Amino acid sequence: MLSITSKDNKLIKNIIKLISKAKYRKEQGLFVVEGLRLCTDAIRSGASVEAFICTEEALQKHADSVAELENYADYSYIVPSSIFSAISDTKTPQGVICVVKALDNKPQFDKINNKYVLLQNMQDPSNLGAVLRSADALGFSGVILTKDCCDIYSPKVCRASMGAIFRVPFIICDDECGFVKDFNNGGISYAAVVRNGISITDFDYNENSLVCIGNEGNGLTDDLVKACTYAVTIPMRGNAESLNAAAAAGIIMWEMVR
């Protein structure tokens, strides 16, 4: 394991830019995950880990896990806590970080009775991570993101997904209306709307099914609603006018697989 003792080290500067800049992550084809669980999820999913960085304290506290990560990564480094704090994006760092190559785990759309969720212009990284986590828990076959969604490789998305980013296939779509229209040739699509849709409980979801969830503030665009086979609404008995986007997605996704 190589030692890094300066904050001016090229790798340290690179990690700081990868954490803070979505454009740089895209250009480099790399992203950063922090914490023992996420790093372990990365290697157990078969992701390509370019670099592993840990502190001496982490090495002593998590010897077996650190050894596994060290052996898996292309390069491994040990840094003092003072340097690790410069690259950490968490309040209570565990002293473990991986630099991971962009994932290549696209969904397959040629199977029978698969379930998918499409997210249009979702901006909150915590919401996106939560949807990935729900998709993982409920066995969804894939997540489709429109190009104006927040960056799926941001540290906040990765943390909120609880490792689901490594297990759930996903693609970024340039033309969501065209995608949905193509999907309708072999499946049924559902647009989640706040009101005036058919209740989500009125369907059996036995065919290839795709649910579209919109932006946190504005919902789905009219064009995407029109492209879908049905507009659906979650029945609500209380006084709330709407649900958080991730909560709504979770409810509809559960209804689709129950």
Side-chain angles (χ1 to χ4, degrees):
M1 190 177 289
L2 302 173
S3 177
I4 295 176
T5 58
S6 171
K7 290 183 180 179
D8 292 327
N9 178 273
K10 183 178 179 180
L11 176 61
I12 299 302
K13 290 183 175 180
N14 191 45
I15 290 173
I16 292 172
K17 289 179 69 174
L18 287 172
I19 289 172
S20 61
K21 301 181 184 296
K23 182 179 179 181
Y24 190 69
R25 289 192 290 268
K26 185 175 182 180
E27 289 172 351
Q28 298 298 309
L30 299 169
F31 66 107
V32 175
V33 294
E34 179 177 355
L36 200 60
R37 176 171 179 168
L38 277 178
C39 290
T40 300
D41 282 339
I43 68 172
R44 291 183 178 169
S45 71
S48 181
V49 176
E50 186 171 277
F52 166 63
I53 302 94
C54 75
T55 62
E56 182 66 39
E57 292 81 0
L59 177 60
Q60 294 176 1
K61 187 175 182 179
H62 308 289
D64 290 343
S65 296
V66 166
E68 183 181 9
L69 289 160
E70 179 185 359
N71 291 332
Y72 184 92
D74 293 343
Y75 299 95
S76 297
Y77 304 87
I78 191 163
V79 300
S81 297
S82 58
I83 291 181
F84 193 89
S85 64
I87 58 175
S88 174
D89 191 52
T90 62
K91 293 181 180 179
T92 55
Q94 291 182 301
V96 176
I97 274 179
C98 283
V99 179
V100 185
K101 293 181 181 178
L103 305 173
D104 184 17
N105 56 347
K106 296 179 181 179
Q108 301 297 316
F109 296 100
D110 56 351
K111 298 181 181 178
I112 298 174
N113 196 22
N114 281 346
K115 304 293 184 290
Y116 306 92
V117 57
L118 185 151
L119 307 177
Q120 185 182 46
N121 193 24
M122 184 167 280
Q123 292 300 299
D124 188 325
S126 296
N127 281 340
L128 177 49
V131 173
L132 288 169
R133 188 176 179 183
S134 294
D136 184 25
L138 295 170
F140 265 56
S141 300
V143 174
I144 298 92
L145 310 173
T146 61
K147 61 184 179 181
D148 51 5
C149 283
C150 62
D151 182 22
I152 194 170
Y153 291 122
S154 80
K156 290 181 179 179
V157 172
C158 294
R159 283 199 301 274
S161 80
M162 295 295 287
I165 187 173
F166 296 112
R167 297 184 290 271
V168 177
F170 64 87
I171 59 170
I172 298 173
C173 176
D174 290 331
D175 176 16
E176 57 266 38
C177 291
F179 178 90
V180 168
K181 289 174 182 177
D182 287 342
F183 184 88
N184 290 341
N185 291 327
I188 298 177
S189 56
Y190 303 87
V193 296
V194 174
R195 57 186 62 86
N196 299 325
I198 303 170
S199 171
I200 61 170
T201 60
D202 288 351
F203 300 93
D204 56 24
Y205 305 103
N206 284 332
E207 301 183 42
N208 274 4
S209 300
L210 167 72
V211 61
C212 298
I213 306 293
N215 172 268
E216 290 87 348
N218 301 314
L220 296 170
T221 61
D222 291 341
D223 287 343
L224 186 54
V225 173
K226 292 175 182 177
C228 290
T229 314
Y230 300 104
V232 297
T233 300
I234 299 171
M236 294 190 290
R237 298 179 180 178
N239 296 321
E241 292 184 359
S242 62
L243 289 165
N244 167 275
I251 291 169
I252 299 173
M253 291 161 70
W254 180 83
E255 183 67 26
M256 291 170 70
V257 300
R258 74 180 181 90

